[in-house]
């Protein structure tokens, strides 16, 4: 019987088809797996359902000789060495589309929390300070007529852009290459250079994948080009932002605030961010809705089934 290892508990309903057919083990690590822990737990697996925090490196893949498929429970896959998987003939799949709306919604939730001071408002009421209606209490900022700069107009970036229309914002975007005209039209977004995006945007929102080109794309030089009134939102991947440079930019008032769902060394958060009131923080919740996470579990199971049953077409395949 094939052995399927899931590196962390996921919504059980998605796993039913696998439980019926295979020897399924759902691991329950206290913290994030490291390479040795993963190898010890999954060295004899035929299929692995992995999380974005798992280091699926060449070493881990080499130490799992029976492995036929890695089904990543995320759309992003920067934690997986795709070339090493390809070289070993291991299929890699992911979970695109089903988490697009959840992540786009959460991007707006973080942005609104930051610019309308929702966190401070909640604290104010709970602490018993609400005695009367005040004319200048916790004033935030409008979004209407402001410019949203999207870095990475892919699935999630364009969903964020479409929501911007409802807020009456202008949208510009930067990609390595202009997006296809249909996506551009649906997003009502204008292609600009990275420098222009930094210069004109009131809100900069990151939605590109993490790779060698996007690593520390937001560094000291980038923050120096942003408006001092601008805010940064990151629901993509932490290492796209140089956190030390961000802390400095906030302290020097080169930018006005940041809303972050992801961190450079997750789950660690730079102390300068923890201490700063102009930063809203979340523990990587972009796709955290029951609907999205259930669909992600189903997709991983479908991919594992397809590979282990020898299907001709493997859904959601990357490699
Ligand atoms: C993903 O799927 O890559 C997201 O970061 C999960 O929230």
């Amino acid at each position: 019987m094939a052995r399927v290892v899931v590196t962390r508990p996921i919504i059980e309903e998605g796993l039913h088809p696998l439980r019926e057919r295979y020897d399924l083990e759902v691991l329950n690590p206290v913290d994030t797996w490291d390479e040795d822990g993963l190898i010890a737990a999954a060295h004899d697996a035929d299929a692995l359902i992995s999380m974005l925090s798992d280091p699926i490196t060449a070493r881990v893949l080499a130490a799992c000789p029976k492995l036929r498929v890695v089904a990543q429970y995320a759309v992003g896959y920067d934690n997986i060495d795709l070339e090493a998987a390809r070289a070993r003939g291991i299929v890699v799949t992911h979970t695109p589309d089903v988490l697009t709306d959840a992540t786009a919604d959460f991007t707006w939730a973080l942005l609104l929390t930051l610019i309308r001071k929702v966190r401070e408002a909640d604290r104010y009421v709970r602490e018993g300070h609400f005695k009367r209606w005040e004319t200048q209490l916790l004033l935030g900022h409008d979004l209407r007529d402001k410019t949203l700069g999207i870095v990475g107009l892919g699935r999630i970036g364009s969903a964020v852009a479409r929501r911007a229309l409802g807020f009456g914002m202008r949208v510009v975007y930067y990609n390595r290459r202009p997006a296809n005209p249909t996506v551009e039209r649906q997003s009502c977004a204008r292609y600009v250079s990275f420098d222009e995006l930094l210069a004109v945007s009131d809100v900069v929102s990151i939605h590109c994948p993490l790779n060698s080109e996007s690593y520390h794309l937001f560094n000291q030089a980038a923050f120096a080009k942003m408006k001092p009134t601008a805010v940064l939102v990151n629901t993509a991947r932490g290492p796209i932002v140089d956190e030390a440079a961000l802390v400095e930019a906030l302290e020097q008032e080169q930018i006005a605030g940041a809303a972050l769902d992801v961190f450079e060394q997750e789950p660690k958060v730079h102390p300068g961010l923890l201490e700063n009131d102009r930063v809203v923080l979340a523990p990587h919740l972009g796709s955290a809705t029951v609907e999205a996470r259930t669909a992600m579990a189903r997709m991983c199971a479908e991919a594992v089934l397809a590979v282990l049953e020898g299907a001709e077409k493997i859904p959601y395949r990357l490699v």
Side-chain angles (χ1 to χ4, degrees):
M1 195 187 253
R3 177 164 146 78
V4 180
V5 171
V6 188
T7 66
R8 194 166 281 279
I10 60 178
I11 290 183
E12 182 58 33
E13 184 193 316
L15 295 176
H16 286 166
L18 299 180
R19 234 180 240 299
E20 287 160 8
R21 289 180 177 76
Y22 309 119
D23 166 20
L24 179 84
E25 187 182 2
V26 179
L27 307 173
N28 200 355
V30 176
D31 289 317
T32 303
W33 286 114
D34 61 12
E35 286 186 358
D36 290 331
L38 264 185
I39 291 170
H43 62 95
D44 56 351
D46 298 273
L48 190 65
I49 297 185
S50 60
M51 309 297 129
L52 52 86
S53 49
D54 299 335
I56 312 294
T57 59
R59 181 171 162 247
V60 168
L61 295 172
C64 302
K66 288 166 64 191
L67 198 59
R68 292 165 62 193
V69 53
V70 175
Q72 165 93 338
Y73 186 73
V75 66
Y77 46 85
D78 47 275
N79 58 309
I80 304 176
D81 187 333
L82 291 189
E83 284 322 307
R86 200 190 311 274
R88 297 191 161 273
I90 298 171
V91 171
V92 180
T93 67
H94 67 150
T95 60
D97 300 320
V98 291
L99 49 77
T100 299
D101 287 323
T103 309
D105 290 348
F106 197 65
T107 302
W108 284 94
L110 282 180
L111 172 60
L112 290 165
T113 301
L114 178 68
I115 64 158
R116 293 303 303 271
K117 305 186 193 288
V118 175
R119 206 183 25 163
E120 293 86 337
D122 181 89
R123 201 183 310 137
Y124 185 86
V125 175
R126 283 176 204 276
E127 289 176 358
H129 303 297
F130 186 26
K131 305 289 186 216
R132 70 195 75 80
W133 184 76
E134 297 275 5
T135 57
Q136 292 182 58
L137 176 66
L138 294 175
L139 298 184
H141 287 283
D142 282 351
L143 288 172
R144 179 160 299 282
D145 294 332
K146 301 276 169 56
T147 299
L148 169 66
I150 303 245
V151 177
L153 194 74
R155 297 181 185 89
I156 297 170
S158 58
V160 171
R162 288 195 300 276
R163 284 156 175 74
L165 300 179
F167 287 96
M169 297 183 81
R170 277 180 299 277
V171 183
V172 296
Y173 79 97
Y174 168 72
N175 275 2
R176 280 186 298 187
R177 280 175 295 283
N180 87 47
T182 312
V183 173
E184 250 184 19
R185 219 178 17 258
Q186 286 168 347
S187 312
C188 293
R190 182 170 66 86
Y191 184 65
V192 293
S193 68
F194 184 54
D195 280 1
E196 184 177 348
L197 180 139
L198 296 175
V200 302
S201 299
D202 300 291
V203 177
V204 174
S205 195
I206 305 176
H207 301 288
C208 58
L210 171 63
N211 51 39
S212 55
E213 284 173 56
S214 64
Y215 177 79
H216 279 194
L217 182 62
F218 283 81
N219 53 20
Q220 206 178 18
F223 292 125
K225 290 174 188 155
M226 287 173 66
K227 294 184 184 182
T229 50
V231 297
L232 178 73
V233 186
N234 189 5
T235 53
R237 284 293 181 269
I240 298 169
V241 175
D242 176 346
E243 273 178 10
L246 172 60
V247 168
E248 170 112 2
L250 288 161
E251 279 168 6
Q252 305 293 319
E253 304 199 356
Q254 277 179 322
I255 69 168
L260 307 171
D261 187 37
V262 289
F263 303 92
E264 210 178 325
Q265 294 184 335
E266 261 172 60
K268 284 192 204 137
V269 180
H270 192 296
L273 296 174
L274 292 172
E275 286 157 14
N276 197 312
D277 272 350
R278 288 180 296 129
V279 181
V280 168
L281 305 164
H284 205 144
L285 294 180
S287 65
T289 66
V290 173
E291 293 83 353
R293 294 276 168 93
T294 305
M296 289 159 70
R298 281 203 202 108
M299 288 165 89
C300 289
E302 270 178 60
V304 167
L305 263 174
V307 174
L308 296 186
E309 298 302 315
E312 224 166 88
K313 197 167 155 20
I314 311 298
Y316 328 116
R317 184 172 191 162
L318 291 162
V319 160

